[in-house]
């Protein structure tokens, strides 16, 4: 879904707030960049639409509160700041090897607000420290 793209004071209009139900995951495009938009208990969240593990389609994931689970290998990220809750559901040597090749990294999340019945995207939030 493509927003109007209007810019106001550094914020960009992404999508009509009425099409994003509480807990619903919606993909939108902002200036060619695909993002995931959701609302949890009235608070909007916007993140990259692709998983930082191997690019899984996060709008097809599952949301539990603010914790998003990727549909591919079930990594989990908290949408409040993008921190990794779980890096894949792999175990044992496969997990060790995969983390050596591709160590856990946070999901990019952005400031978001609802104004004039639209959801707006702001700057990228400061990423949380990476735990290795
Ligand atoms: S691509 Fe998302 S967990 Fe692997």
């Amino acid at each position: 879904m493509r927003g109007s793209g209007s810019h106001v004071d550094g914020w960009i209009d992404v999508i009509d707030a009425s099409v994003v139900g509480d807990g619903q995951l919606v993909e939108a495009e902002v200036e060619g960049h695909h993002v995931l938009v959701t609302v949890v208990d009235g608070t909007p969240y916007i993140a990259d639409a692709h998983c930082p593990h191997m690019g899984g389609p996060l709008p097809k994931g599952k949301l539990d509160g603010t914790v998003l689970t990727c549909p591919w290998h079930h990594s989990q990220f908290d949408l409040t700041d993008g921190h990794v809750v779980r890096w894949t559901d792999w175990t044992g040597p496969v997990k060790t090897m995969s983390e050596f090749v591709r160590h856990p990294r946070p999901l990019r999340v952005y400031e978001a607000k609802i104004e004039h019945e639209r959801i707006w995207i702001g700057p990228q939030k400061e990423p949380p420290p990476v735990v290795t």
Side-chain angles (χ1 to χ4, degrees):
M1 197 166 293
R2 194 182 295 260
S4 76
S6 300
H7 289 240
V8 179
D9 296 332
W11 292 83
I12 304 172
D13 178 3
V14 178
I15 195 168
D16 185 339
S18 70
V19 302
V20 186
D22 208 86
Q24 191 181 353
L25 301 172
V26 176
E27 184 165 356
E29 191 181 327
V30 182
E31 300 184 336
H33 186 75
H34 290 263
V35 293
L36 162 80
V37 184
T38 190
V39 174
V40 178
D41 294 332
T43 301
Y45 295 94
I46 300 178
D48 279 355
H50 299 287
C51 179
H53 179 232
M54 293 174 70
L58 293 175
K60 294 187 179 350
K62 285 204 168 87
L63 192 63
D64 182 7
T66 57
V67 175
L68 174 67
T69 302
C70 176
W72 282 5
H73 316 109
H74 310 119
S75 287
Q76 294 179 318
F77 308 92
D78 193 318
L79 291 176
T80 57
D81 64 358
H83 77 264
V84 177
V85 175
R86 177 178 70 188
W87 189 245
T88 78
D89 61 358
W90 297 339
T91 56
V94 174
K95 180 180 177 68
T96 306
M97 275 304 292
S98 72
E99 288 188 354
F100 179 72
V101 172
R102 196 153 179 82
H103 60 82
R105 62 200 73 195
L107 174 64
R108 268 196 293 231
V109 295
Y110 302 85
E111 299 290 345
K113 66 177 181 179
I114 300 177
E115 204 169 274
H116 306 301
E117 297 167 14
R118 309 281 306 177
I119 297 179
W120 300 72
I121 185 171
Q124 183 183 337
K125 289 185 181 176
E126 187 71 25
V130 175
V131 180
T132 54

